[in-house]
Amino acid sequence: MSGYETVYANNNVMDDFSDILNKFYNSVKDKFTKNEEISFDEIIIKYSEDNEFLKDLDFIKSSLNEISEMMEQINFENDEYYNFASIKRMIIYIVDNPEKYFFQSHFIVLLLKNFNDLIVKERQLDDYQEEYEKFDKFLYEQEDYFYTEIFDGDSKYDDAIDKVTNILG
């Protein structure tokens, strides 16, 4: 494959990736940014056996996997793929627990919005490296929040989490 064809193929994958990421982000945002006045108990009753809701959770997981697979084909300049892997782990952890999901859907939207903005919008800017560094710092802060406020670690994993946090930090 010539250099032009490689760049062209990489741009097509990036376009497909951007489209999927945008659709996924918008679907999650639209579901959880409505101003409905509903109590947590009502939400649990409403969604406890709602097949559509369960399909939505499966959609989130499958979309994350699809985006991750596409990202493997893109040559990023920084650690965007690893950043997304971290985001994916946090979101899947939350989605796997409906109670956490109801309480933390805003956190999911926050992660996706910032990653979406970085990849889809900011990549076009001349100062992308600076924007990436801001995003990287933002993600580090969100990971800290996730592991201290959302994640319910079993004490048998505390040492491993400390080691991973120290390696990442």
Side-chain angles (χ1 to χ4, degrees), residues 71 75-85 87 115 118-119 123 128 132 135:
M71 286 186 76
N75 297 324
F76 290 102
E77 295 174 18
N78 299 290
D79 289 331
E80 292 93 350
Y81 177 78
Y82 299 103
N83 295 140
F84 184 75
I87 290 169
F115 187 75
L118 175 75
I119 298 298
R123 267 180 86 77
Y128 177 75
Y132 174 78
F135 171 80

Side-chain angles (χ1 to χ4, degrees), residues 10-160:
N10 196 39
N11 285 339
N12 283 341
V13 171
M14 189 63 201
D15 290 343
D16 291 345
F17 165 70
S18 295
D19 289 344
I20 289 173
L21 183 61
N22 260 324
K23 287 177 189 172
F24 175 58
Y25 164 69
N26 286 327
S27 72
V28 172
K29 180 186 75 166
D30 291 345
K31 284 199 177 304
F32 296 102
T33 55
K34 295 177 181 163
N35 292 324
E36 292 183 21
E37 293 296 322
I38 187 167
S39 74
F40 183 71
D41 291 334
E42 291 170 322
I43 290 173
I44 296 296
I45 292 167
K46 181 177 178 182
Y47 291 107
S48 63
E49 296 184 17
D50 184 342
N51 287 332
E52 283 302 310
F53 173 70
L54 297 174
K55 286 179 187 176
D56 288 342
L57 295 182
D58 286 340
F59 171 73
I60 290 172
K61 291 179 196 178
S62 66
S63 294
L64 289 168
N65 290 330
E66 186 176 355
I67 291 167
S68 185
E69 288 173 11
M70 292 185 82
M71 286 186 76
E72 290 175 1
Q73 300 174 38
I74 300 171
N75 297 324
F76 290 102
E77 295 174 18
N78 299 290
D79 289 331
E80 292 93 350
Y81 177 78
Y82 299 103
N83 295 140
F84 184 75
S86 178
I87 290 169
K88 179 181 167 185
R89 279 190 302 276
M90 290 186 282
I91 292 174
I92 287 177
Y93 175 80
I94 293 168
V95 169
D96 280 342
N97 181 328
E99 184 175 346
K100 283 192 186 316
Y101 183 68
F102 289 122
F103 280 118
Q104 301 300 335
S105 61
H106 67 283
F107 182 73
I108 293 172
V109 171
L110 178 69
L111 290 173
L112 291 174
K113 178 196 180 311
N114 281 278
F115 187 75
N116 187 56
D117 287 350
L118 175 75
I119 298 298
V120 176
K121 297 175 185 172
E122 305 298 341
R123 267 180 86 77
Q124 310 304 319
L125 301 176
D126 291 334
D127 61 349
Y128 177 75
Q129 187 62 37
E130 184 179 316
E131 293 303 318
Y132 174 78
E133 289 170 11
K134 287 179 190 175
F135 171 80
D136 202 41
K137 182 179 178 189
F138 159 81
L139 183 58
Y140 179 77
E141 292 167 355
Q142 298 313 306
E143 289 168 331
D144 185 50
Y145 174 78
F146 174 80
Y147 286 109
T148 59
E149 303 298 324
I150 298 173
F151 185 76
D152 293 327
D154 190 344
S155 61
K156 69 181 182 179
Y157 298 114
D158 285 349
D159 291 335

